[in-house]
Coordinates of all heavy atoms in Angstrom, one line a residue:
P348 N 4.7 20.7 -1.1 CA 5.9 20.0 -1.7 C 6.5 20.8 -2.8 O 7.7 20.8 -3.0 CB 5.3 18.7 -2.3 CG 3.8 18.8 -2.2 CD 3.5 19.9 -1.2
E349 N 5.7 21.6 -3.5 CA 6.3 22.5 -4.6 C 7.2 23.6 -4.1 O 8.0 24.1 -4.8 CB 5.1 23.2 -5.3 CG 4.2 22.2 -6.1 CD 3.1 21.5 -5.2 OE1 3.0 21.8 -4.0 OE2 2.3 20.8 -5.8
D350 N 7.1 23.9 -2.8 CA 7.9 24.9 -2.1 C 9.1 24.4 -1.3 O 9.8 25.2 -0.7 CB 7.1 25.8 -1.2 CG 6.2 26.8 -1.9 OD1 6.4 27.0 -3.1 OD2 5.2 27.2 -1.4
M351 N 9.2 23.1 -1.2 CA 10.2 22.5 -0.3 C 11.6 23.2 -0.3 O 12.2 23.3 -1.4 CB 10.4 21.1 -0.7 CG 9.5 20.1 0.0 SD 10.0 18.4 -0.3 CE 9.8 18.3 -2.1
D352 N 12.0 23.6 0.8 CA 13.4 24.1 0.9 C 14.1 23.4 2.1 O 15.2 23.9 2.5 CB 13.4 25.6 1.1 CG 12.5 26.1 2.2 OD1 12.0 25.3 3.0 OD2 12.3 27.3 2.2
T353 N 13.6 22.4 2.7 CA 14.3 21.6 3.7 C 15.3 20.7 3.0 O 15.1 20.4 1.8 CB 13.2 20.8 4.5 OG1 12.4 20.1 3.6 CG2 12.4 21.6 5.4
P354 N 16.3 20.2 3.7 CA 17.3 19.4 3.1 C 16.7 18.1 2.4 O 15.9 17.4 3.1 CB 18.3 19.0 4.2 CG 18.0 20.0 5.3 CD 16.6 20.4 5.1
R355 N 17.1 17.8 1.2 CA 16.6 16.6 0.5 C 17.7 15.6 0.7 O 18.3 15.0 -0.3 CB 16.3 16.8 -0.9 CG 15.2 17.8 -1.1 CD 13.9 17.4 -0.5 NE 13.2 16.4 -1.2 CZ 12.1 15.7 -0.7 NH1 11.7 15.9 0.6 NH2 11.5 14.8 -1.4
S356 N 18.0 15.3 2.0 CA 19.1 14.4 2.3 C 18.7 13.0 1.8 O 17.5 12.6 1.7 CB 19.3 14.3 3.8 OG 19.4 15.6 4.4
V357 N 19.7 12.2 1.4 CA 19.5 10.9 0.8 C 20.1 9.9 1.7 O 21.3 10.0 2.2 CB 20.1 10.8 -0.6 CG1 20.1 9.4 -1.1 CG2 19.5 11.8 -1.5
F358 N 19.4 8.8 2.0 CA 19.9 7.8 2.9 C 19.8 6.4 2.2 O 18.8 6.1 1.5 CB 19.0 7.8 4.2 CG 19.1 9.1 4.9 CD1 18.1 10.0 4.7 CD2 20.1 9.4 5.8 CE1 18.1 11.3 5.4 CE2 20.2 10.6 6.4 CZ 19.2 11.6 6.2
K359 N 20.8 5.6 2.5 CA 20.8 4.3 1.8 C 21.2 3.2 2.7 O 21.7 3.4 3.8 CB 21.9 4.4 0.6 CG 23.3 4.5 1.1 CD 24.3 4.5 0.0 CE 25.7 4.7 0.5 NZ 26.7 4.6 -0.6
I360 N 20.9 1.9 2.3 CA 21.4 0.7 2.9 C 22.4 0.1 2.0 O 22.3 0.2 0.8 CB 20.2 -0.2 3.3 CG1 19.4 -0.6 2.1 CG2 19.4 0.3 4.4 CD1 18.4 -1.7 2.3
D361 N 23.3 -0.6 2.6 CA 24.3 -1.3 1.8 C 24.9 -2.5 2.6 O 24.4 -2.8 3.7 CB 25.4 -0.4 1.2 CG 26.1 0.4 2.4 OD1 26.1 -0.1 3.5 OD2 26.6 1.5 2.1
K362 N 26.0 -3.1 2.2 CA 26.6 -4.2 2.9 C 27.0 -3.8 4.3 O 26.9 -4.6 5.3 CB 27.9 -4.7 2.2 CG 27.7 -5.2 0.8 CD 29.0 -5.6 0.2 CE 28.8 -6.0 -1.3 NZ 30.1 -6.3 -1.9
N363 N 27.4 -2.6 4.5 CA 27.9 -2.1 5.8 C 26.7 -1.6 6.7 O 26.8 -1.7 7.9 CB 28.9 -1.0 5.7 CG 30.1 -1.5 4.9 OD1 30.6 -2.6 5.1 ND2 30.6 -0.6 4.0
T364 N 25.7 -1.1 6.1 CA 24.5 -0.7 6.8 C 23.3 -1.4 6.2 O 22.6 -0.9 5.4 CB 24.3 0.8 6.6 OG1 25.5 1.5 6.9 CG2 23.2 1.4 7.6
P365 N 23.1 -2.7 6.6 CA 22.0 -3.5 6.0 C 20.7 -3.0 6.4 O 20.5 -2.3 7.4 CB 22.3 -4.9 6.5 CG 23.1 -4.8 7.8 CD 23.8 -3.5 7.6
G366 N 19.7 -3.4 5.6 CA 18.3 -3.1 5.9 C 17.4 -4.2 5.3 O 16.7 -4.0 4.3
T367 N 17.5 -5.4 5.9 CA 16.8 -6.5 5.3 C 15.4 -6.3 5.0 O 14.8 -6.7 4.0 CB 17.1 -7.8 6.1 OG1 18.5 -8.0 6.2 CG2 16.4 -9.0 5.6
E368 N 14.6 -5.7 6.0 CA 13.2 -5.6 5.8 C 12.8 -4.7 4.6 O 12.0 -5.0 3.8 CB 12.5 -5.1 7.1 CG 12.9 -3.8 7.7 CD 14.2 -3.8 8.5 OE1 15.3 -3.7 7.9 OE2 14.1 -3.9 9.7
V369 N 13.5 -3.6 4.5 CA 13.2 -2.7 3.4 C 13.7 -3.3 2.0 O 13.0 -3.1 1.0 CB 13.7 -1.2 3.6 CG1 15.2 -1.1 3.6 CG2 13.1 -0.3 2.6
A370 N 14.8 -4.0 2.0 CA 15.3 -4.6 0.8 C 14.3 -5.7 0.4 O 14.0 -5.8 -0.8 CB 16.7 -5.2 1.0
A371 N 13.9 -6.6 1.3 CA 13.0 -7.7 1.0 C 11.7 -7.2 0.5 O 11.0 -7.8 -0.4 CB 12.9 -8.7 2.1
E372 N 11.2 -6.1 1.1 CA 9.9 -5.6 0.7 C 10.0 -5.0 -0.7 O 9.1 -5.1 -1.5 CB 9.4 -4.5 1.7 CG 8.1 -3.9 1.4 CD 6.9 -4.9 1.3 OE1 6.6 -5.5 2.4 OE2 6.4 -5.1 0.2
T373 N 11.1 -4.3 -1.0 CA 11.4 -3.8 -2.3 C 11.4 -4.9 -3.3 O 10.8 -4.8 -4.4 CB 12.7 -3.0 -2.3 OG1 12.6 -1.9 -1.3 CG2 12.9 -2.3 -3.7
A374 N 12.0 -6.0 -3.0 CA 12.0 -7.2 -3.9 C 10.6 -7.7 -4.1 O 10.2 -8.0 -5.2 CB 12.9 -8.3 -3.3
A375 N 9.8 -7.7 -3.0 CA 8.4 -8.2 -3.2 C 7.7 -7.3 -4.1 O 6.9 -7.7 -5.0 CB 7.7 -8.2 -1.8
A376 N 7.9 -5.9 -4.0 CA 7.2 -5.0 -4.8 C 7.5 -5.1 -6.3 O 6.6 -5.1 -7.1 CB 7.5 -3.6 -4.3
L377 N 8.8 -5.3 -6.5 CA 9.3 -5.4 -7.9 C 8.7 -6.8 -8.5 O 8.3 -6.8 -9.7 CB 10.8 -5.4 -8.0 CG 11.4 -4.0 -7.6 CD1 12.9 -4.2 -7.4 CD2 11.2 -3.0 -8.7
A378 N 8.8 -7.8 -7.7 CA 8.3 -9.1 -8.2 C 6.8 -9.1 -8.5 O 6.3 -9.6 -9.5 CB 8.6 -10.2 -7.2
A379 N 6.0 -8.5 -7.5 CA 4.5 -8.4 -7.7 C 4.2 -7.6 -8.9 O 3.3 -8.0 -9.8 CB 3.9 -7.9 -6.5
A380 N 4.9 -6.4 -9.1 CA 4.6 -5.6 -10.2 C 5.0 -6.2 -11.6 O 4.4 -6.0 -12.6 CB 5.4 -4.2 -10.1
S381 N 6.0 -7.1 -11.5 CA 6.4 -7.8 -12.8 C 5.3 -8.6 -13.3 O 5.1 -8.8 -14.5 CB 7.7 -8.6 -12.5 OG 7.4 -9.8 -11.9
L382 N 4.5 -9.2 -12.4 CA 3.3 -10.0 -12.8 C 2.2 -9.1 -13.5 O 1.5 -9.6 -14.4 CB 2.8 -10.7 -11.6 CG 3.7 -11.9 -11.1 CD1 3.2 -12.3 -9.7 CD2 3.6 -13.1 -12.0

Side-chain angles (χ1 to χ4, degrees):
E349 297 84 358
D350 286 339
M351 270 188 297
D352 51 11
T353 50
R355 299 302 283 169
S356 311
V357 174
F358 302 96
K359 67 178 180 177
I360 54 170
D361 54 27
K362 295 175 187 178
N363 301 320
T364 312
T367 300
E368 59 278 86
V369 66
E372 182 61 66
T373 302
L377 293 166
S381 78
L382 289 163

